mmCIF file of all heavy atoms in Angstrom:
data_model
loop_
_atom_site.group_PDB
_atom_site.id
_atom_site.type_symbol
_atom_site.label_atom_id
_atom_site.label_comp_id
_atom_site.label_asym_id
_atom_site.label_seq_id
_atom_site.Cartn_x
_atom_site.Cartn_y
_atom_site.Cartn_z
ATOM 1 N N SER J 31 25.981 -41.323 8.245
ATOM 2 C CA SER J 31 25.537 -40.301 9.243
ATOM 3 C C SER J 31 25.291 -38.998 8.573
ATOM 4 O O SER J 31 26.219 -38.404 8.053
ATOM 5 C CB SER J 31 26.626 -40.151 10.307
ATOM 6 O OG SER J 31 26.237 -39.174 11.294
ATOM 7 N N ASN J 32 23.979 -38.617 8.390
ATOM 8 C CA ASN J 32 23.654 -37.471 7.647
ATOM 9 C C ASN J 32 22.605 -36.615 8.286
ATOM 10 O O ASN J 32 21.736 -37.150 8.984
ATOM 11 C CB ASN J 32 23.112 -37.915 6.244
ATOM 12 C CG ASN J 32 24.106 -38.660 5.468
ATOM 13 O OD1 ASN J 32 25.033 -38.152 4.865
ATOM 14 N ND2 ASN J 32 23.869 -39.949 5.445
ATOM 15 N N CYS J 33 22.619 -35.355 8.030
ATOM 16 C CA CYS J 33 21.427 -34.477 8.238
ATOM 17 C C CYS J 33 20.730 -34.373 6.917
ATOM 18 O O CYS J 33 21.389 -34.188 5.883
ATOM 19 C CB CYS J 33 21.950 -33.073 8.586
ATOM 20 S SG CYS J 33 22.349 -32.809 10.349
ATOM 21 N N TYR J 52 18.064 -36.422 11.582
ATOM 22 C CA TYR J 52 19.405 -37.010 11.627
ATOM 23 C C TYR J 52 19.251 -38.482 11.413
ATOM 24 O O TYR J 52 18.555 -39.167 12.151
ATOM 25 C CB TYR J 52 19.991 -36.718 12.975
ATOM 26 C CG TYR J 52 21.384 -37.383 13.215
ATOM 27 C CD1 TYR J 52 22.408 -37.227 12.260
ATOM 28 C CD2 TYR J 52 21.603 -38.113 14.265
ATOM 29 C CE1 TYR J 52 23.637 -37.864 12.528
ATOM 30 C CE2 TYR J 52 22.783 -38.792 14.540
ATOM 31 C CZ TYR J 52 23.816 -38.645 13.576
ATOM 32 O OH TYR J 52 25.001 -39.221 13.803
ATOM 33 N N SER J 100 26.659 -34.753 5.121
ATOM 34 C CA SER J 100 27.269 -35.790 5.992
ATOM 35 C C SER J 100 27.777 -35.137 7.204
ATOM 36 O O SER J 100 28.503 -34.100 7.153
ATOM 37 C CB SER J 100 28.330 -36.571 5.246
ATOM 38 O OG SER J 100 27.830 -37.238 4.177
ATOM 39 N N VAL J 101 27.470 -35.679 8.440
ATOM 40 C CA VAL J 101 27.907 -35.140 9.657
ATOM 41 C C VAL J 101 28.360 -36.269 10.578
ATOM 42 O O VAL J 101 28.152 -37.411 10.301
ATOM 43 C CB VAL J 101 26.764 -34.409 10.371
ATOM 44 C CG1 VAL J 101 26.297 -33.149 9.616
ATOM 45 C CG2 VAL J 101 25.534 -35.282 10.575
ATOM 46 N N ILE J 102 29.075 -35.845 11.621
ATOM 47 C CA ILE J 102 29.571 -36.853 12.564
ATOM 48 C C ILE J 102 28.544 -37.180 13.646
ATOM 49 O O ILE J 102 28.402 -38.331 14.094
ATOM 50 C CB ILE J 102 30.884 -36.324 13.224
ATOM 51 C CG1 ILE J 102 31.953 -36.093 12.160
ATOM 52 C CG2 ILE J 102 31.425 -37.308 14.263
ATOM 53 C CD1 ILE J 102 33.197 -35.493 12.672
ATOM 54 N N PHE J 103 27.794 -36.168 14.016
ATOM 55 C CA PHE J 103 26.734 -36.379 15.005
ATOM 56 C C PHE J 103 25.604 -35.427 14.636
ATOM 57 O O PHE J 103 25.793 -34.516 13.791
ATOM 58 C CB PHE J 103 27.223 -36.102 16.399
ATOM 59 C CG PHE J 103 27.764 -34.710 16.579
ATOM 60 C CD1 PHE J 103 26.887 -33.590 16.908
ATOM 61 C CD2 PHE J 103 29.077 -34.371 16.359
ATOM 62 C CE1 PHE J 103 27.375 -32.352 17.023
ATOM 63 C CE2 PHE J 103 29.524 -33.047 16.518
ATOM 64 C CZ PHE J 103 28.717 -32.042 16.782
ATOM 65 N N GLY J 104 24.467 -35.587 15.277
ATOM 66 C CA GLY J 104 23.352 -34.622 15.029
ATOM 67 C C GLY J 104 22.077 -34.964 15.830
ATOM 68 O O GLY J 104 22.055 -35.820 16.667
ATOM 69 N N SER J 105 21.072 -34.116 15.456
ATOM 70 C CA SER J 105 19.719 -34.314 15.989
ATOM 71 C C SER J 105 18.869 -33.567 15.013
ATOM 72 O O SER J 105 19.336 -32.882 14.099
ATOM 73 C CB SER J 105 19.577 -33.709 17.395
ATOM 74 O OG SER J 105 19.796 -32.283 17.298
ATOM 75 N N PHE J 108 19.539 -29.862 15.446
ATOM 76 C CA PHE J 108 20.941 -29.528 14.917
ATOM 77 C C PHE J 108 20.803 -29.496 13.363
ATOM 78 O O PHE J 108 21.384 -28.602 12.733
ATOM 79 C CB PHE J 108 21.887 -30.563 15.399
ATOM 80 C CG PHE J 108 23.199 -30.430 14.695
ATOM 81 C CD1 PHE J 108 24.191 -29.575 15.173
ATOM 82 C CD2 PHE J 108 23.578 -31.271 13.604
ATOM 83 C CE1 PHE J 108 25.425 -29.437 14.532
ATOM 84 C CE2 PHE J 108 24.802 -31.113 12.997
ATOM 85 C CZ PHE J 108 25.753 -30.197 13.423
ATOM 86 N N CYS J 109 20.148 -30.465 12.848
ATOM 87 C CA CYS J 109 20.151 -30.539 11.334
ATOM 88 C C CYS J 109 19.360 -29.398 10.720
ATOM 89 O O CYS J 109 19.745 -28.818 9.672
ATOM 90 C CB CYS J 109 19.500 -31.876 10.941
ATOM 91 S SG CYS J 109 20.519 -33.347 11.262
#
Side-chain angles (χ1 to χ4, degrees):
S31 179
N32 299 283
C33 279
Y52 171 54
S100 295
V101 294
I102 297 173
F103 60 86
S105 67
F108 171 84
C109 291

